[in-house]
Amino acid sequence: MCSTKTILSERVILDNVLRSADKALIAATDLRFRVQYLNKAAKKTFGRATEHIENQLCSREKQILKRIQDEKSEFHVTLTSQNSRRRSVVDAEISGIWNDDKVLLGFLLVGNDVTETTEAEIELRASERKYRALYDENPCMCFTVDPGGTVLTVNRHGAEQLGYRVNELVGKSIFKIIHEQDREATKQVLEKAMQEPDRLHHREIRAVHKDRVGLWVREAIRASKDDAGAIVILIAGEDVTEARQLSEELSYQASHDVLTGLVNRREFERRLKRVLHSSRADQTEHALLYLDLDRFKTINDTCGHLAGDELLRQLGEVLRGTVRSRDTLARLGGDEFGVLLEHCSVVQARRLAKALQKIIQNFRFGWEGRNLSIGVSIGLVPINKTSESMTNILSMTDAALFAAKEAGRNCIHVYQEADSELARKRGELQWVPRIQQALEEDRFHLVFQPIRPIAKGNVEGEHYELQIRMEDEDGRIVPPGAFLPAAERYNLSTTLDRWVIRTAFRWLSNHPEHLERLYLCSINLSSHVFGEEDFVEFIIRQLNKQKIPAEKIGFEVPETAAIANLSSATRFIKALKELGCWFALDDFGSGLSSFGYLRNLPVDFLKIDGAFVRNIVEDPVDFAMVSSINEIGHVLGKKTIAEFVENDAILEKLRTIGVDYAQGYGMGRPQVIDRLG
């Protein structure tokens, strides 16, 4: 209920009343809606008892105050009078009464007695007011403009989204709120809308807020005719700035390396495809540089991964300032970088490669009081109208880089077809289509090789390693050493890993009696599995699908790959060990710093590198190495498996040392998996 009233001065009331003297009913109230003045017509309609009117106004107090104070505009209201002689309906507008200092003193009601108005007219007015409210509060930006772009109407929400009031936009050009770079396109779409009045046109444009801040608006545009037959253009817009920014952020993340901010491999290859197409269509010349840092692994091993990451980040900034603005500098993975040089001859590319080489040689990385330096090997491949596929260019670049390293590291090598030193790499490349075709034609097979306990009297269930074999086009079996290096180098190894897991689990599921007596089925994994985020989920899905007990499955991971990807390898192993799977570190001892990392890798078995085992009878150094590996493994609670056990003499030496298991031709040659059934 309203309380204290403010007495309005006669002058203030008179000033406001005279402005609306042409209206039939006039009343003035204080800030609490207590009636202070009624003209004759108002007295006749309302009578002297004004409490009923005051109560109706008080019930709308919040809406009236918000409209008057926020916008200094009018508020429409319909009042009913309870005059003792009759009931009247008054259609009124309320406005503020302001003094010269723009202080709100009260309210002025100006209206008409509409008691005699037909119900249809009242409903029509109510409908119009409802439509206006819906139009103004519609969450879209709603504009109507004429063919020249002049704003005819705009809803309140649309104006507020752009920082304006409605009257600041009506009558003004729509181009006032369009980003200058989108104005020409806006003219064209308005013309197109008039030419195709029945078609809805969609687009996203940049609008300009009153504060000069840009925002993205998704618009739907259509031409129509008003009641007079004139063409008007209807525009409904939605602010999509946040969605656009999120999309741009996700796009950036998908195309850039998180650590260095450089373009990533995926985006680099996309741009390489574009350049390759350009070289064929326009007969233009380009070049590709493949950089691999020398001595980076040493810094990573001695100073830790944080130091390695910081070195890569700093070096990325240095290299970014060296390449031309039109060129693409990318981090391709690990310590490898690529530079795509557009419209660049081989001579220019070699000159830039030398500049990059010098910058990297002079780069000094400070870490914990130490100044560290690195080198770089660079492979260079020209791209021209004779260049083949992207895969071919990348393999040539890889081969050129390999040749640079073979030449003594810190070298630049330009790819040449006749290079004898690249013959081996080119030979590996020939395996890529053959591997892909063999996968398509289901020409891969599984074989098993037994792993046996060395201690006498130690009996377990079936324990073996699964291996993959390829059948060539003529039906001959290809040994894994022929095609696996190519699969590893050209990113086909994880495809083969998935084939082995699917096939092995399906076979075990189809042979429940064998599965019952199985102790451990060990499966080799390639070095690339740690880089595939969904590989663990893939294994879990296959275990669940085929209902294979996880504790009967083991995985062998290469020691060098596990150490090079220590954090991801640890996460990978722990995730599957939690399910019950076992892990073996394959070819253990081949790395230079194996023992230092061993305590950090949660594996169950160490497979001692066969290079030490095969000569253990004659070579005392190999005997000492195997003994050391076995002893340290046992201290850390891990069992040991010796590879390449080819005869009883080797087996006896291993028994003397105390190695737990043996694998090799002396224990059993690989056989087709169906022999187990």
Side-chain angles (χ1 to χ4, degrees):
M1 192 68 183
C2 301
S3 54
T4 21
K5 57 184 180 179
T6 303
I7 304 300
L8 305 176
S9 69
E10 291 291 338
R11 183 183 68 79
V12 172
I13 294 174
L14 184 60
D15 285 348
N16 285 272
V17 169
L18 289 176
R19 292 192 194 101
S20 304
D22 58 329
K23 303 291 184 180
L25 302 177
I26 300 173
T29 77
D30 61 16
L31 289 173
R32 296 297 181 179
F33 300 109
R34 303 300 296 271
V35 174
Q36 303 290 299
Y37 170 82
L38 295 171
N39 72 347
K40 289 182 180 180
K43 288 178 181 177
K44 180 179 178 182
T45 300
F46 296 137
R48 295 188 179 280
T50 59
E51 183 178 354
H52 184 65
I53 299 300
E54 293 169 353
N55 289 342
Q56 292 179 69
L57 293 174
C58 283
S59 69
R60 296 173 172 83
E61 180 179 6
K62 288 184 179 179
Q63 298 99 306
I64 295 172
L65 286 174
K66 177 175 173 57
R67 182 66 59 81
I68 300 300
Q69 290 178 335
D70 291 353
E71 303 182 19
K72 298 186 179 180
S73 61
E74 297 176 338
F75 184 83
H76 192 93
V77 65
T78 300
L79 302 171
T80 57
S81 168
Q82 296 293 343
N83 192 316
S84 57
R85 289 172 295 176
R86 69 182 184 122
R87 182 179 183 276
S88 301
V89 179
V90 175
D91 200 18
E93 289 182 345
I94 304 174
S95 57
I97 300 175
W98 310 82
N99 67 9
D100 294 337
D101 296 325
K102 298 184 179 180
V103 176
L104 182 64
L105 301 177
F107 303 98
L108 181 68
L109 280 74
V110 179
N112 295 297
D113 186 338
V114 294
T115 308
E116 303 302 325
T117 305
T118 64
E119 290 185 5
E121 289 176 327
I122 294 174
E123 289 178 2
L124 179 60
R125 292 188 183 185
S127 176
E128 289 175 348
R129 289 195 295 272
K130 183 178 180 181
Y131 167 78
R132 170 54 61 180
L134 289 172
Y135 179 70
D136 278 337
E137 303 306 326
N138 191 308
C140 291
M141 304 178 191
C142 301
F143 289 82
T144 58
V145 301
D146 67 15
T150 300
V151 177
L152 303 176
T153 66
V154 57
N155 68 335
R156 184 178 297 108
H157 175 79
E160 289 174 348
Q161 285 283 92
L162 296 164
Y164 293 93
R165 293 180 182 171
V166 170
N167 59 6
E168 291 180 290
L169 292 178
V170 173
K172 305 297 191 300
S173 172
I174 190 74
F175 299 104
K176 174 181 179 180
I177 59 170
I178 303 296
H179 191 282
E180 59 182 9
Q181 293 182 5
D182 290 339
R183 288 174 186 168
E184 185 60 36
T186 300
K187 290 180 183 178
Q188 294 174 5
V189 78
L190 294 182
E191 292 173 359
K192 200 168 184 180
M194 288 186 291
Q195 294 168 3
E196 302 172 331
D198 296 327
R199 183 182 169 190
L200 196 61
H201 301 268
H202 297 275
R203 66 170 189 161
E204 285 189 7
I205 59 129
R206 288 164 291 183
V208 181
H209 193 275
K210 188 177 183 180
D211 295 335
R212 311 310 298 168
V213 177
L215 63 156
W216 282 95
V217 179
R218 182 182 294 128
E219 291 184 339
I221 303 171
R222 190 178 69 184
S224 183
K225 290 185 178 181
D226 62 13
D227 294 337
I231 293 179
V232 295
I233 299 170
L234 312 176
I235 303 174
E238 175 189 8
D239 184 354
V240 294
T241 305
E242 285 189 17
R244 184 85 181 208
Q245 289 173 343
L246 178 61
S247 175
E248 289 175 353
E249 183 178 342
L250 292 174
S251 176
Y252 180 87
Q253 291 175 355
S255 60
H256 287 74
D257 175 56
V258 176
L259 177 63
T260 62
L262 301 177
V263 167
N264 61 18
R265 188 181 194 98
R266 177 181 176 186
E267 177 65 13
F268 186 79
E269 291 182 355
R270 187 189 69 80
R271 297 185 187 186
L272 177 57
K273 282 183 180 178
R274 174 180 56 78
V275 167
L276 182 59
H277 176 77
S278 169
S279 67
R280 293 168 180 166
D282 307 331
Q283 297 190 0
T284 49
E285 191 176 5
H286 316 280
L288 177 60
L289 302 180
Y290 201 162
L291 287 68
D292 186 272
L293 303 182
D294 299 327
R295 299 190 298 278
F296 175 78
K297 187 177 184 302
T298 302
I299 294 175
N300 229 18
D301 289 345
T302 56
C303 299
H305 292 283
L306 285 178
D309 287 350
E310 181 60 20
L311 185 153
L312 292 173
R313 191 191 64 77
Q314 290 184 21
L315 184 61
E317 287 296 322
V318 172
L319 297 179
R320 197 198 309 267
T322 305
V323 299
R324 304 173 306 175
S325 57
R326 73 171 73 171
D327 300 331
T328 298
L329 171 65
R331 183 187 177 206
L332 303 180
D335 59 348
E336 298 174 348
F337 295 84
V339 185
L340 183 58
L341 305 171
E342 299 190 38
H343 302 283
C344 183
S345 67
V346 174
V347 174
Q348 292 172 312
R350 188 175 180 84
R351 190 181 302 128
L352 181 57
K354 286 183 177 180
L356 291 171
Q357 184 186 49
K358 185 175 181 180
I359 286 171
I360 293 173
Q361 285 176 337
N362 294 333
F363 175 72
R364 293 296 178 268
F365 174 63
W367 186 261
E368 297 180 346
R370 302 168 63 185
N371 264 335
L372 305 171
S373 63
I374 54 175
V376 64
S377 299
I378 303 176
L380 190 162
V381 173
I383 302 173
N384 50 47
K385 62 182 181 181
T386 64
S387 299
E388 299 177 19
S389 65
M390 185 186 73
T391 301
N392 181 254
I393 290 174
L394 289 175
S395 66
M396 290 165 63
T397 311
D398 197 33
L401 177 62
F402 177 80
K405 287 183 173 292
E406 290 285 292
R409 299 183 180 271
N410 208 35
C411 296
I412 300 169
H413 186 92
V414 180
Y415 178 83
Q416 297 176 4
E417 191 69 33
D419 283 344
S420 59
E421 61 193 350
L422 301 179
R424 182 169 63 88
K425 307 304 294 180
R426 292 285 285 174
E428 283 186 354
L429 179 62
Q430 306 306 315
W431 280 103
V432 173
R434 296 183 66 186
I435 293 171
Q436 292 171 332
Q437 188 175 0
L439 281 167
E440 292 172 1
E441 297 175 0
D442 197 25
R443 287 191 279 105
F444 283 98
H445 307 287
L446 286 180
V447 299
F448 76 97
Q449 187 173 31
I451 299 173
R452 305 193 188 282
I454 294 177
K456 293 180 178 179
N458 191 353
V459 179
E460 295 176 342
E462 298 275 8
H463 186 185
Y464 50 82
E465 174 191 346
L466 287 183
Q467 300 171 359
I468 189 170
R469 296 291 187 268
M470 175 179 164
E471 181 182 331
D472 71 10
E473 297 82 353
D474 299 321
R476 293 171 297 196
I477 297 299
V478 180
F483 63 89
L484 284 183
E488 191 86 10
R489 177 172 293 276
Y490 298 109
N491 299 318
L492 289 172
S493 56
T494 54
T495 303
L496 296 181
D497 290 337
R498 291 173 187 263
W499 181 90
V500 170
I501 290 169
R502 274 194 300 265
T503 306
F505 288 7
R506 186 167 56 244
W507 190 92
L508 291 172
S509 179
N510 292 335
H511 296 79
E513 292 181 3
H514 171 77
L515 186 60
E516 181 67 25
R517 65 177 185 269
L518 176 65
Y519 168 63
L520 191 63
C521 169
S522 189
I523 297 174
N524 272 294
L525 295 178
S526 66
S527 60
H528 292 300
V529 294
F530 304 129
E532 294 198 4
E533 295 180 355
D534 66 337
F535 206 90
V536 170
E537 287 75 15
F538 165 76
I539 292 174
I540 294 172
R541 285 198 305 271
Q542 293 300 315
L543 285 170
N544 294 334
K545 180 179 179 181
Q546 304 297 345
K547 297 181 174 55
I548 305 297
E551 64 271 17
K552 291 181 178 287
I553 300 299
F555 294 102
E556 299 183 10
V557 294
E559 177 211 354
T560 51
I563 291 175
N565 304 276
L566 188 60
S567 57
S568 56
T570 303
R571 288 195 300 271
F572 183 99
I573 293 170
K574 284 183 176 179
L576 291 174
K577 277 180 66 68
E578 287 177 1
L579 300 176
C581 295
W582 300 75
F583 273 86
L585 204 56
D586 201 9
D587 296 327
F588 187 79
S590 59
L592 296 177
S593 51
S594 304
F595 296 117
Y597 289 99
L598 185 56
R599 65 174 65 245
N600 298 317
L601 287 167
V603 297
D604 308 287
F605 300 91
L606 300 182
K607 296 196 76 172
I608 304 171
D609 195 341
F612 302 121
V613 175
R614 61 158 52 104
N615 296 319
I616 193 174
V617 175
E618 300 85 15
D619 193 332
V621 175
D622 286 346
F623 181 91
M625 181 65 76
V626 173
S627 298
S628 299
I629 294 173
N630 183 71
E631 183 178 354
I632 292 175
H634 285 172
V635 169
L636 293 175
K638 306 177 192 305
K639 294 184 178 181
T640 52
I641 303 172
E643 299 175 301
F644 288 83
V645 182
E646 299 174 350
N647 53 55
D648 290 339
I650 295 175
L651 182 63
E652 194 57 37
K653 285 285 187 182
L654 295 172
R655 185 176 288 120
T656 302
I657 293 171
V659 175
D660 301 296
Y661 297 91
Q663 179 183 359
Y665 282 3
M667 302 294 103
R669 290 177 175 270
Q671 302 178 63
V672 294
I673 193 172
D674 287 336
R675 292 279 183 91
L676 290 169

